[in-house]
Amino acid sequence: MDVDSVLLAMRAGSEETEAALRKYTKENSNIFKFDPADEDKRKLLCERVLNLLEKGTRTTCQVACLEALRILSRDKKVLEPVTTKQNMQILMGLAKLEPSEDSLGEVDHFPVIVEALKCLCNIVFNSIVAQKLSLELNIAAMLCNLLKKCKDQESVHVIKCFNLRLLFLLSLLHTETRTQLRHDLQALPLLTEALESSFGITWTEKYKADPRADAPPLSRQDTDCAIEALKALFNVTLDSWNVHSENDAHQFRYMAAILRLCLLTKGPTEDKTEELHSNTINLLSNFPVSCLDVLISASAEEEESLKYNGMNMDAIQVLLDFMEMRIDKGCSYVEGLTPVLSLLTECSRAHRTIRKFIKAQVLPPLTDVSNRPEIGTTVRNKLVRLMTHVDLGVKQIAAEFLFVLCKERVDSLLKYTGYGNAAGLLAARGLLAGGRGDRWYSDDEDTDTEEYKSAKPNINLITGHLEEPMPNPMDEMTEEQKEYEAMKLVNMFDKLSREDVIKPMGVRADGTMAPLEEAVRQVQSNEHSSSDSD
């Protein structure tokens, strides 16, 4: 049904209007690109719909109007008549976003609330004017009040879901809204409660709620609500790495216990499970590392849990499995892989038990060193391949993760990766000459296998694998031929250097890179100053 027909039907009467709007919505439900020729007509239709909603009509007609407006609000170019203070307040009233509203009203009115919230989501997302009006109208505070009403009534999953989505959008688009939600509106406990309600948690200890082994997957509605709550919490907890009070520490540890349950919960489909876990990982990345020990717990009474040194490591194993799955997908590493790698790195750096468990999974004792570290299907092979990835951020976080698992010891890292793969990290950290990072780790030493010890003398330090001795091509050369080849090589390097194709570099005494001349002068200066003079 075209826009002209809808406009014509709206002059006939309420029944014809409702039928025309429903037909228009049905035919255009999957349309996201609109014909520019009808732009003015769609603007007029928006005005007519809002006028009808302002005058008041029966509930079914309100739903039909809002459904049509939801379709129209996908087009940024027709939102001018919608994004006025008066019209925004009309939609807020229909969504129960008013201080005077004490309850959600009758259940029959719930579809109106849902559609009004959907419209507001589209309008705020697509219009800068609406984003500014949302601050002026204090929509964030109204949404928090609506969220409080939702917890007191049943059958409000969809209302809560779009309430949380609008909160996420507002906190995404405005730094002021994030600050308001965190400090003025005290939304952190409220959002945490909304997340917790999606799981029906029964607490067994202060920061422990274990899922039942026979629990069914989370329903689609509860999964969607949990995902929206996680996204809103992510925005509100940005820059929360430093906890300043005991109350904050309790809040984050309480949330970490809920997020542990999120990791151990499955959604209705694999895609929904991945989305749930992905948003959980993103949120955990905002947490102070001191609060992440809640992800593991004593497991004496749990027979089916994954145990390591008496601790339940189920959640950490989920993180490792998620990381490997994202590596295997082979795309969108920056958005999809770096958050979980960063989280695992911080967990390993701050918590010894977690680091030792992850190292046992990722870097088990070496037995077969016949292949290069980057060749193969193990997690170690996959991570070593990422150390030379074209994206700087991806290769840095992959290298940093392995370096932390090796307790930031250069010799240990080289054993698992080879010098060639680790050179980028070592150059950036000033560790090309060897040594270890600045952070202190426990003194427990790695135990090499007998296979590795026997092969170690013949391992190529650059490639990190065992190589058969190669014949020396110079054995059969005369001295004149050797001299000729050496001068040929010198001339080639000299030409490349003079043309600035390459720049010879050396290693300073502190392990950092420098131009060769500077590095040589520093070495000579150090030798001169340390020599005894009569």
Side-chain angles (χ1 to χ4, degrees):
M1 191 174 210
D2 59 21
V3 180
D4 286 327
S5 301
V6 180
L7 290 170
L8 185 62
M10 293 186 76
R11 299 174 185 171
S14 60
E15 292 185 2
E16 290 81 358
T17 296
E18 183 178 339
L21 289 171
R22 289 195 182 281
K23 188 174 181 181
Y24 177 81
T25 301
K26 183 178 180 180
E27 293 179 358
N28 294 277
S29 60
N30 296 319
I31 299 296
F32 291 88
K33 289 185 178 181
F34 298 86
D35 186 359
D38 293 336
E39 187 176 308
D40 290 336
K41 295 176 183 177
R42 291 197 302 277
K43 284 184 180 180
L44 181 58
L45 181 56
C46 288
E47 290 180 6
R48 296 277 176 84
V49 166
L50 286 163
N51 289 337
L52 186 59
L53 289 170
E54 184 180 17
K55 291 176 182 177
T57 182
R58 61 179 182 273
T59 300
T60 55
C61 190
Q62 285 181 332
V63 173
C65 288
L66 290 167
E67 286 176 342
L69 186 60
R70 170 168 53 84
I71 303 298
L72 293 166
S73 62
R74 295 171 181 171
D75 185 3
K76 297 180 180 180
K77 296 180 179 179
V78 303
L79 290 178
E80 183 181 349
V82 182
T83 52
T84 65
K85 188 173 182 180
Q86 179 182 355
N87 287 335
M88 289 286 284
Q89 287 175 324
I90 291 172
L91 293 174
M92 288 173 62
L94 293 169
K96 297 294 182 181
L97 297 178
E98 290 183 346
S100 58
E101 294 286 349
D102 297 326
S103 68
L104 295 176
E106 299 296 326
V107 175
D108 293 343
H109 188 71
F110 285 3
V112 176
I113 301 175
V114 172
E115 289 301 325
L117 287 170
K118 288 180 180 180
C119 289
L120 286 169
C121 286
N122 283 354
I123 293 165
V124 168
F125 181 73
N126 286 320
S127 170
I128 296 176
V129 176
Q131 292 164 20
K132 293 178 180 177
L133 278 172
S134 67
L135 291 174
E136 182 181 342
L137 295 170
N138 201 16
I139 293 181
M142 307 296 181
L143 288 168
C144 289
N145 288 332
L146 181 61
L147 199 56
K148 292 175 184 176
K149 299 169 195 171
C150 288
K151 68 181 182 181
D152 297 328
Q153 289 188 246
E154 299 294 330
S155 305
V156 292
H157 294 86
V158 183
I159 296 176
K160 184 169 71 171
C161 185
F162 285 98
N163 186 339
L164 290 167
R165 181 171 297 180
L166 188 50
L167 268 175
F168 162 70
L169 288 172
L170 293 174
S171 57
L172 174 69
L173 297 166
H174 290 296
T175 306
E176 300 94 325
T177 302
R178 289 200 292 269
T179 305
Q180 181 189 15
L181 287 169
R182 179 71 186 273
H183 300 291
D184 300 336
L185 298 175
Q186 295 294 307
L188 202 56
L190 184 63
L191 291 170
T192 303
E193 186 176 354
L195 175 63
E196 182 181 350
S197 66
S198 298
F199 296 93
I201 297 177
T202 301
W203 295 98
T204 57
E205 296 178 20
K206 185 176 182 181
Y207 296 122
K208 187 176 178 183
D210 289 316
R212 301 194 318 271
D214 59 344
L218 208 61
S219 69
R220 180 171 288 274
Q221 284 185 331
D222 284 332
T223 304
D224 288 338
C225 281
I227 289 170
E228 296 301 332
L230 289 167
K231 288 158 62 177
L233 280 165
F234 175 83
N235 289 340
V236 175
T237 57
L238 280 171
D239 303 322
S240 299
W241 58 272
N242 194 9
V243 170
H244 296 288
S245 69
E246 185 176 338
N247 185 56
D248 284 344
H250 165 71
Q251 184 65 48
F252 279 106
R253 293 176 77 83
Y254 184 73
M255 280 195 292
I258 299 174
L259 297 185
R260 177 180 178 272
L261 189 66
C262 288
L263 292 173
L264 301 178
T265 300
K266 291 187 176 180
T269 64
E270 288 187 7
D271 288 343
K272 278 294 178 182
T273 300
E274 182 180 350
E275 188 179 358
L276 176 67
H277 290 173
S278 177
N279 283 285
T280 302
I281 290 165
N282 291 341
L283 179 54
L284 281 169
S285 299
N286 286 348
F287 280 29
V289 292
S290 59
C291 300
L292 295 178
D293 60 341
V294 177
L295 296 177
I296 61 176
S297 60
S299 60
E301 74 283 0
E302 300 164 5
E303 296 182 359
E304 298 184 4
S305 65
L306 180 60
K307 299 179 183 179
Y308 183 81
N309 287 350
M311 304 299 286
N312 184 324
M313 310 301 291
D314 289 337
I316 305 301
Q317 187 62 53
V318 171
L319 293 177
L320 286 171
D321 293 340
F322 185 89
M323 175 195 71
E324 188 171 9
M325 177 194 65
R326 283 290 172 90
I327 294 175
D328 292 341
K329 283 194 170 183
C331 61
S332 301
Y333 280 155
V334 176
E335 300 85 4
L337 179 61
T338 53
V340 66
L341 270 177
S342 178
L343 177 62
L344 287 170
T345 301
E346 292 306 315
C347 285
S348 301
R349 184 177 276 127
H351 302 289
R352 178 172 177 263
T353 303
I354 295 177
R355 173 177 55 79
K356 293 184 71 175
F357 171 77
I358 293 176
K359 184 176 182 183
Q361 304 291 315
V362 175
L363 300 177
L366 292 174
T367 54
D368 181 11
V369 287
S370 59
N371 292 322
R372 290 173 178 258
E374 66 269 22
I375 296 175
T377 58
T378 66
V379 182
R380 174 176 77 106
N381 302 143
K382 296 171 183 178
L383 286 167
V384 172
R385 284 197 289 272
L386 290 178
M387 293 176 75
T388 54
H389 194 269
V390 293
D391 186 274
L392 182 62
V394 172
K395 72 178 184 180
Q396 282 181 339
I397 189 61
E400 186 75 14
F401 175 50
L402 293 176
F403 194 41
V404 169
L405 292 184
C406 294
K407 296 185 288 188
E408 300 192 20
R409 286 170 35 198
V410 173
D411 57 342
S412 180
L413 179 69
L414 297 182
K415 179 175 75 173
Y416 288 104
T417 68
Y419 198 93
N421 292 311
L425 171 75
L426 300 181
R429 299 285 292 267
L431 294 171
L432 285 169
R436 62 186 307 164
D438 299 329
R439 195 172 183 86
W440 180 87
Y441 291 86
S442 59
D443 293 330
D444 52 306
E445 294 295 330
D446 298 324
T447 303
D448 291 334
T449 62
E450 293 300 324
E451 294 88 342
Y452 178 77
K453 288 179 180 178
S454 61
K456 187 175 180 179
N458 299 317
I459 292 176
N460 185 321
L461 295 180
I462 302 298
T463 61
H465 81 300
L466 186 64
E467 290 184 349
E468 295 295 330
M470 299 292 290
N472 189 346
M474 299 181 69
D475 287 343
E476 298 180 0
M477 287 185 181
T478 64
E479 292 301 321
E480 290 79 6
Q481 288 175 321
K482 293 177 183 178
E483 184 176 350
Y484 172 78
E485 292 295 336
M487 290 306 301
K488 184 179 176 181
L489 185 61
V490 168
N491 291 332
M492 290 170 61
F493 274 111
D494 182 60
K495 181 180 179 182
L496 291 171
S497 178
R498 281 187 284 104
E499 295 178 356
D500 287 332
V501 177
I502 63 171
K503 188 171 186 179
M505 303 290 285
V507 182
R508 296 191 187 99
D510 62 0
T512 58
M513 297 290 290
L516 185 59
E517 297 85 353
E518 181 184 334
V520 170
R521 281 199 305 270
Q522 188 181 60
V523 171
Q524 291 174 343
S525 175
N526 290 341
E527 289 177 352
H528 178 73
S529 62
S530 62
S531 63
D532 295 327
S533 58
D534 296 330

